[in-house]
Amino acid sequence: MKERVFDPRKLDVAAFARDAASLHGEWPATSLQRLAEAAAAESPASQWPAVTWSVEGETREVRGQAQAWLHLKIGASVQLTCQRCLKAVGETLALERSIRFVKDENEAAELDVDSEEDVLALQRHLDLAELIEDELLLALPLVPRHETCPQPLPVPAEDDEVFEEKRPNPFAALAALKKGSGSQ
């Protein structure tokens, strides 16, 4: 019997799981456009190492019904903008995810609420690159920052003009108007 060849950009998840197949590879970070957009300005995604990935298919019996599973392993090194010093900060992402596939969106939504596992609706063709990019985006830190910034931030002295700048009190102007109108 001829072994099937699976395309990671148009993966037939059901057949992949049924065959207990596996794939692995790497993609340039620039090919994952949404991830590349998160790059620090001084370290674009074209300078990052390739995103590595592997996926294995599995079929499990749940209540007498066969369900497709994908087991992902993803590795990436990205450069984001530190929110304290605004310089590039490196983040290494190493993910392992198991995703259960069910027959439709309604079942996926229902099961996803109560389940700790990731549940998706089974599609005829799944773009593995898009799924991997989604998982990487979800793994990015909300506020990227260095443990200790490479250069300390300049702290303004208390007597700097920034703190000395006096703004007119809007209520003082209102009080002056009231005094002016009450004296007539």
Side-chain angles (χ1 to χ4, degrees):
M1 186 166 130
K2 186 178 177 183
E3 187 176 318
R4 269 189 250 219
V5 177
F6 292 100
D7 179 359
R9 298 286 183 162
K10 292 181 181 179
L11 187 63
D12 181 345
V13 175
F16 188 78
R18 213 174 17 256
D19 289 359
S22 64
L23 290 171
H24 65 277
E26 57 182 45
W27 289 313
T30 54
S31 70
L32 305 175
Q33 188 174 1
R34 293 176 294 147
L35 181 65
E37 289 172 0
E42 62 271 15
S43 184
S46 60
Q47 297 175 1
W48 299 353
V51 173
T52 60
W53 57 272
S54 68
V55 62
E56 295 178 4
E58 176 188 15
T59 301
R60 292 184 189 171
E61 290 290 324
V62 178
R63 291 184 223 121
Q65 189 176 24
Q67 291 184 340
W69 286 73
L70 290 184
H71 304 287
L72 296 170
K73 290 183 182 179
I74 309 165
S77 292
V78 300
Q79 294 286 319
L80 307 172
T81 302
C82 173
Q83 297 301 298
R84 283 191 281 213
C85 67
L86 303 177
K87 301 288 182 200
V89 58
E91 293 287 340
T92 301
L93 305 172
L95 311 171
E96 289 191 30
R97 300 278 190 271
S98 290
I99 301 169
R100 175 177 159 191
F101 289 85
V102 294
K103 66 181 179 186
D104 59 29
E105 290 288 339
N106 291 335
E107 186 178 353
E110 184 180 306
L111 290 173
D112 201 33
V113 171
D114 298 327
S115 177
E116 289 185 23
E117 58 209 19
D118 293 326
V119 181
L120 293 176
L122 188 61
Q123 306 168 21
R124 176 71 177 126
H125 295 290
L126 174 74
D127 185 349
L128 196 56
E130 191 175 299
L131 179 62
I132 287 171
E133 184 175 27
D134 288 345
E135 292 297 332
L136 287 170
L137 289 169
L138 289 170
L140 291 177
L142 291 176
V143 181
R145 62 178 186 240
H146 295 99
E147 285 293 320
T148 304
C149 290
Q151 294 177 318
L153 297 175
V155 178
E158 287 187 33
D159 60 338
D160 278 357
E161 291 178 25
V162 173
F163 294 107
E164 293 296 320
E165 182 182 316
K166 300 283 186 187
R167 293 186 178 171
N169 184 340
F171 297 106
L174 182 60
L177 286 172
K178 282 181 88 176
K179 280 184 182 180
S181 65
S183 62
Q184 290 180 3

